[in-house]
């Protein structure tokens, strides 16, 4: 009998979930995580008045102040570790640490507050990191075609834009699948170029 275990240890892949305040990052991670998600939700207090805009999400009473964390095993060989960023600009200094080593990012958008996603989009574009944009469909929010959202944000045709419901596991799974397709496509492109040049 050998001392080795035959148990497969899945490859750990880090994924970031980002976006503005109240866009649904904590909900998104909680809907898919196979473990009890870790969150750093804190009550919104008077300190945030005049600093964090709650216009459009006035009923929100808590907010992420550091990170959210969850895990989903895609198959026996791959486990996604999901890290949610805080949405307020005043906590953006945490982003560099949370993003380090990430394979890709989901940027969540609330069309009622679309301008709140600009910092996340700008940040991940400047990092050159593969990302997908997921339009979280809130009850009662005006609906826009994904091409209208793409145009409003000035996104290139290469960035996938999808609709999702952050409360529904299947919808979250579809967004993560689109991100993995995007990551694979981005990572495969240099190899294709190299192969073409070597002919």
């Amino acid at each position: 009998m050998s001392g080795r275990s035959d148990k497969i240890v899945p490859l750990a892949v880090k994924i970031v979930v980002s976006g503005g305040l109240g866009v649904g990052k904590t909900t998104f991670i909680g809907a898919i995580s196979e473990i009890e998600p870790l969150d750093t939700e804190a009550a919104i207090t008077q300190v945030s008045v005049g600093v964090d805009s709650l216009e459009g999400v006035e009923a929100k009473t808590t907010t992420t102040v550091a990170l959210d964390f969850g895990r989903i095993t895609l198959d026996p060989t791959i486990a996604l570790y999901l890290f949610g960023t805080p949405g307020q600009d005043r906590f953006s200094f945490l982003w560099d640490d949370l993003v380090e080593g990430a394979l890709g990012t989901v940027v969540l958008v609330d069309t009622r507050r679309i301008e709140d996603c600009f910092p996340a989009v700008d940040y991940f574009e400047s990092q050159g990191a593969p990302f997908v944009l997921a339009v979280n469909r809130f009850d009662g929010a005006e609906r826009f075609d994904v091409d209208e959202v793409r145009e409003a944000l000035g996104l290139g045709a290469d960035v996938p834009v999808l609709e999702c419901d952050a409360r529904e596991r299947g919808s979250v799974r579809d967004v993560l699948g689109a991100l993995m397709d995007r990551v694979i496509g981005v990572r495969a492109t240099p190899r294709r170029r190299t192969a073409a040049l070597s002919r």
Side-chain angles (χ1 to χ4, degrees), residues 79-187:
L80 299 185
Y81 288 82
L82 307 172
F83 289 80
T85 65
Q88 308 93 311
D89 288 342
R90 62 193 166 109
F91 295 129
S92 63
F93 66 92
L94 295 169
W95 285 19
D96 288 338
D97 290 333
L98 290 173
V99 168
E100 186 174 348
L103 200 60
T105 303
V106 173
V107 176
L108 280 174
V109 177
D110 177 353
T111 55
R112 300 170 302 177
R113 299 160 52 93
I114 198 161
E115 66 283 352
D116 288 359
C117 79
F118 280 114
V121 169
D122 291 345
Y123 179 86
F124 293 107
E125 282 183 335
S126 72
Q127 296 289 313
F131 70 95
V132 299
L133 193 92
V135 180
N136 193 6
R137 294 303 188 193
F138 287 89
D139 295 337
E142 186 177 355
R143 299 254 173 156
F144 296 93
D145 184 80
V146 292
D147 288 333
E148 291 178 279
V149 175
R150 177 189 304 283
E151 186 177 337
L153 296 174
L155 294 175
D158 59 321
V159 177
V161 180
L162 311 91
E163 293 184 341
C164 81
D165 185 332
R167 300 167 297 185
E168 295 184 4
R169 182 179 178 85
S171 185
V172 171
R173 185 191 60 236
D174 291 345
V175 171
L176 292 173
L179 176 61
M180 296 311 291
D181 288 345
R182 169 91 168 124
V183 167
I184 290 166
V186 167
R187 296 212 178 254

Side-chain angles (χ1 to χ4, degrees), residues 13-95:
V13 176
K14 183 178 185 181
I15 299 296
V16 172
V17 180
S18 193
L21 174 67
V23 78
K25 299 177 295 292
T26 302
T27 302
F28 183 97
I29 291 172
I32 196 80
S33 182
E34 64 197 14
I35 62 171
E36 183 68 30
L38 166 72
D39 65 52
T40 56
E41 291 281 299
I44 295 175
T45 65
Q46 286 300 111
V47 174
S48 69
V49 174
V51 178
D52 302 324
S53 170
L54 295 176
E55 185 178 339
V57 289
E58 291 84 1
K60 187 169 177 59
T61 59
T62 63
T63 187
T64 299
V65 294
L67 65 100
D68 296 314
F69 175 78
R71 182 188 75 211
I72 178 68
T73 303
L74 294 184
D75 64 40
T77 63
I78 300 176
L80 299 185
Y81 288 82
L82 307 172
F83 289 80
T85 65
Q88 308 93 311
D89 288 342
R90 62 193 166 109
F91 295 129
S92 63
F93 66 92
L94 295 169
W95 285 19

Side-chain angles (χ1 to χ4, degrees), residues 3-20:
R4 282 187 12 208
S5 169
D6 291 332
K7 183 178 179 185
I8 296 172
V9 177
L11 173 68
V13 176
K14 183 178 185 181
I15 299 296
V16 172
V17 180
S18 193

